[in-house]
Every structure is written in structure tokens, then in C-alpha cells.
Amino acid sequence: MKHTLSVLVEDEAGVLSRISSLFARRGFNIESLAVGPAEQGGVSRITMVVPGDDRVIEQLTKQLYKLVNVLKVQDITETPCVERELMLLKVNATSSNRSEVIEISQIFRCRIVDVAEDSVTLEVVGDPGKMVAIVQVLQKFGLREIARTGKISLPRESGVNTELLKSLQTKV
């Protein structure tokens, strides 16, 4: 199972290196990683997606807390969260198929950020499932390049689980 960890760290040089070294020494993989300033000055939030069972994640959490600059570690996998990812996607788009590529990009609420004679570059923002879906749909045109950020995530203050709401809507 994939777990999403939210880690607050002191904003100092070498913190990310120490965390990634910890994972490497233990033989664990980080599937997604995003780092940026948190709400407090001098503190950064690291959001990472890590494969493993509950026991492995508990062990990793304990190891992370042993690092000097780690302030807080949360496994937010089961917590109702807002999740987003950013992807830039360069798609083949000739005069014969450009209108179809643009139409699909509008359905997915993408922004067109660059247009060339034979390609279009799209900016896609949304949950990770949206990223997978648009890549599958646009695959038939030919994908030239993809650049993705890691997943970022914050717990919902409302506590509303949108995944639960989606599943209820499909049953109706």
C-alpha cells in the first residue's frame, strides 16, 4: 500500500539529504516527493508517497523523528485530504488533430502554455488520478515530454472525505 507522509522540518541545509539517506540506508523507495515552505517561517513541509505496510511506515516514522531537524511526521493516508499535483505535458498536435487535443484539454480543465507548429504544451493541475487519466487519453497523439511534481496534500479541516462522497454518487 502507498502511504502519504507529511513531514515538517526546520528549513536548514542538508535536511532533505539526511531524510533521503535514511530511506536509502533502509532500502525504502520514495515514489513522490515535494518540498516547500510551510505556514511558519523557517519551517518546510515535505510531502512524500512511500510504499509499505503499516509496520514499515511506523518504523520509518520513528526513524524520521530521530533526525535532528524533523519537527513533526504525520501519515495522512487515511485522513480526508486535499491532494494536488502539477504536470506539464507536451503533446504532438498537427493541424489535423490540434482541435481534438485542445478539446480534450478543455474537458480536463488544462491550460495551454505553449503552442508550436507540431505540438502543444499543457499545464494540468489536479489530483493524481486526473494526471493518469489525461495521459491515457492523450497517449494516442504521441507524448513528447512529461514533467510532474510530486503530490502535495493537506488534511481537510472540514473532515469531509471526498472519496466517500464520490463513491456514494456512483451508487445513486
Side-chain angles (χ1 to χ4, degrees):
M1 179 177 172
K2 294 180 184 179
H3 288 260
T4 303
L5 300 179
S6 178
V7 184
L8 290 176
V9 298
E10 293 173 2
D11 193 10
E12 292 185 13
V15 174
L16 185 58
S17 175
R18 284 191 288 282
I19 289 173
S20 61
S21 294
L22 167 76
F23 278 75
R25 282 193 312 272
R26 304 278 185 270
F28 295 117
N29 187 33
I30 299 173
E31 289 189 7
S32 170
L33 180 69
V35 183
E39 56 280 1
Q40 296 172 267
V43 176
S44 290
R45 180 178 311 276
I46 300 172
T47 306
M48 52 183 136
V49 177
V50 182
D53 59 23
D54 291 339
R55 186 187 60 75
V56 167
I57 299 306
E58 185 179 330
Q59 179 187 9
L60 276 174
T61 300
K62 288 177 183 176
Q63 295 295 318
L64 284 167
Y65 270 121
K66 288 181 182 180
L67 297 176
V68 176
N69 303 107
V70 173
L71 305 172
K72 184 177 181 181
V73 180
Q74 279 183 288
D75 182 356
I76 58 174
T77 308
E78 300 297 324
T79 306
C81 290
V82 176
E83 299 177 338
R84 294 293 181 267
E85 203 172 318
L86 167 68
M87 177 172 60
L88 295 175
L89 182 61
K90 194 179 294 182
V91 184
N92 289 329
T94 60
S95 57
S96 62
N97 68 7
R98 185 179 307 274
S99 61
E100 190 178 356
V101 170
I102 291 171
E103 189 176 316
I104 291 169
S105 72
Q106 290 171 340
I107 292 169
F108 280 90
R109 294 190 205 123
C110 303
R111 288 184 54 216
I112 297 171
V113 293
D114 187 49
V115 178
E117 190 173 318
D118 58 352
S119 71
V120 172
T121 303
L122 306 173
E123 176 188 284
V124 188
V125 178
D127 63 71
K130 180 180 180 178
M131 304 298 152
V132 172
I134 193 165
V135 165
Q136 286 178 344
V137 171
L138 292 174
Q139 194 95 40
K140 66 181 180 183
F141 300 105
L143 304 176
R144 290 186 177 190
E145 292 181 79
I146 297 176
R148 285 176 74 168
T149 65
K151 177 171 72 170
I152 57 172
S153 184
L154 286 176
R156 290 184 178 273
E157 288 296 315
S158 65
V160 174
N161 184 342
T162 55
E163 293 304 314
L164 174 64
L165 292 176
K166 286 178 191 175
S167 70
L168 292 174
Q169 281 180 338
T170 57
K171 290 179 185 176
V172 174

